[in-house]
Amino acid sequence: MLLKNKVVIVSGVGAGMGQALARIAAAEGARVALGARSKGLIEEVAADIKANGGEAIAVPTDISDAKACQAMAAATLEAFGTIDGLVNTAYIHGAWLPVDEADPEDYAQVFDVNCLGAMRMTQAVLPTFKAKKDGAVVNVSTMSTVNPFTGEGGYATGKGGLNVLSRHMANDFGKYGVRVNHTRMGWIGGQPVYDYIDRAVAGGADRDALVAEITARIPLGIIPPEGDCAKAVLFFLSDYARVVTGAVLDVNGGQYMAP
């Protein structure tokens, strides 16, 4: 088991990859703390994990609030006694608008959640990591930070800040034995993407043509399945990555290949 006996916090356990991260982490042997603003969803996922023999707690968490992040860390320690890993996957997208039409205040709100939210959550678990001189953080970012997509300016700006923050975290936390890496996700074959496709079809688009247009840009020729994307993220929490820090992993089926 990739994460046997580890305690992992996953922030942003929504309908997309967040819930897959939690479920797969548990299946790989981790005890999991699930955070999100949606209490009902995280309780449902936690119940499913426990029904399948895993251990999980659900803690409603708003990462725009430092006290809520601290409460998540405290609840995890109370339930499991320690914290080994953190996946910062919580985000908001903001308005789908080109930059010339965008509201700077919308960008500011997105940045506060996508970048500073990860900072707050990481600072909340850092005392535990410092005390044990060990810990791993994975910040989940987006391909849009390096391969622009119209309408994602605000989302990508917040995640672009997260990319830079990840490297500074890695630099500053290394002396405590803490590793920090980030992933840049492309299309993810889960509910959010399939909902987008369904909306386009409802608006008159041809489903097969739309999927073909998306996959034509991806060398592997598929929309990368949600579970496979989650496994790539969780690798950074495992002992296979014990000497990897400050790194970025592109998880996009080859659509963007870093130089």
Side-chain angles (χ1 to χ4, degrees):
M1 285 186 171
L2 193 68
L3 302 174
K4 186 176 181 179
N5 298 325
K6 294 188 183 295
V7 174
V8 173
I9 294 175
V10 180
S11 75
V13 178
M17 190 177 69
Q19 57 81 29
L21 284 163
R23 294 178 194 276
I24 294 171
E28 290 289 345
R31 291 170 287 170
V32 187
L34 290 69
R37 290 178 296 175
S38 177
K39 183 173 183 286
L41 179 58
I42 58 175
E43 288 181 343
E44 178 184 335
V45 175
D48 286 347
I49 288 172
K50 288 186 278 190
N52 284 289
E55 296 184 59
I57 60 170
V59 185
T61 307
D62 179 354
I63 62 168
S64 67
D65 181 351
K67 290 184 178 179
C69 294
Q70 292 159 10
M72 162 57 103
T76 305
L77 289 171
E78 182 178 358
F80 301 130
T82 191
I83 305 168
D84 299 296
L86 167 66
V87 182
N88 285 311
T89 190
Y91 74 94
I92 58 174
H93 191 280
W96 279 88
L97 291 170
V99 177
D100 54 310
E101 299 176 19
D103 180 355
E105 293 304 316
D106 181 63
Y107 273 43
Q109 182 183 14
V110 172
F111 187 88
D112 182 62
V113 173
N114 292 1
C115 182
L116 300 185
M119 180 178 177
R120 294 183 192 99
M121 195 64 243
T122 303
Q123 287 178 334
V125 304
L126 193 57
T128 300
F129 288 173
K130 285 182 176 181
K132 62 194 294 186
K133 298 189 181 301
D134 189 29
V137 178
V138 189
N139 293 323
V140 178
S141 185
T142 175
M143 181 177 68
S144 287
T145 60
V146 289
N147 188 20
F149 190 83
T150 298
E152 293 208 308
Y155 172 60
T157 295
K159 290 294 192 179
L162 180 61
N163 295 353
V164 176
L165 180 63
S166 297
R167 292 188 173 96
H168 280 269
M169 284 180 172
N171 179 72
D172 293 348
F173 301 164
K175 61 190 175 187
Y176 307 122
V178 177
R179 301 178 290 106
V180 184
N181 298 287
H182 70 283
T183 60
R184 292 188 297 221
M185 316 305 294
W187 292 89
I188 299 173
Q191 183 177 330
V193 164
Y194 295 132
D195 285 350
Y196 159 77
I197 292 172
D198 288 343
R199 289 194 299 272
V201 171
D206 178 84
R207 184 180 301 274
D208 291 341
L210 178 57
V211 171
E213 189 274 329
I214 294 170
T215 56
R217 291 176 270 151
I218 301 173
L220 288 182
I222 59 169
I223 298 176
E226 182 177 76
D228 290 336
C229 293
K231 290 172 185 175
V233 174
L234 294 172
F235 157 76
F236 278 130
L237 297 182
S238 77
D239 289 343
Y240 285 100
R242 284 202 62 81
V243 294
V244 181
T245 195
V248 56
L249 178 63
D250 288 301
V251 185
N252 56 49
Q255 184 173 350
Y256 173 82
M257 300 183 188

